[in-house]
Amino acid sequence: MEAVQRELLDSYADLMAAALLPHSGHTPEALRLRCVGVLGAAEVMAAELNRGRVSADDAVTALTDLITGGLGARTGD
């Protein structure tokens, strides 16, 4: 089960990084690492939501801020 979960995390991180790369000033490696961090944050936020410690709106706002804040300024435009 743990191996499957790791594979899913890797796939999600790769997919997310590929989608966000055109909007980021980071190298592919640096952006992928940020995506792994965001996915970890999303998992913890989901747990907080399930415990009733945060509202869905607040969780969505926080996760959106983490994603957009982690993109970095685009360079070369």
Side-chain angles (χ1 to χ4, degrees), residues 9-67:
L9 176 63
D10 284 343
S11 294
Y12 291 148
D14 291 342
L15 180 67
M16 189 175 175
L20 294 174
L21 187 60
H23 310 285
S24 174
H26 295 294
T27 64
E29 296 81 13
L31 181 59
R32 187 183 183 287
L33 183 57
R34 283 159 176 78
C35 291
V36 169
V38 167
L39 289 169
E43 184 176 350
V44 174
M45 285 183 201
E48 290 293 291
L49 182 61
N50 288 334
R51 290 184 187 108
R53 295 181 180 172
V54 65
S55 71
D57 287 343
D58 287 345
V60 168
T61 298
L63 191 57
T64 300
D65 288 349
L66 286 173
I67 294 168

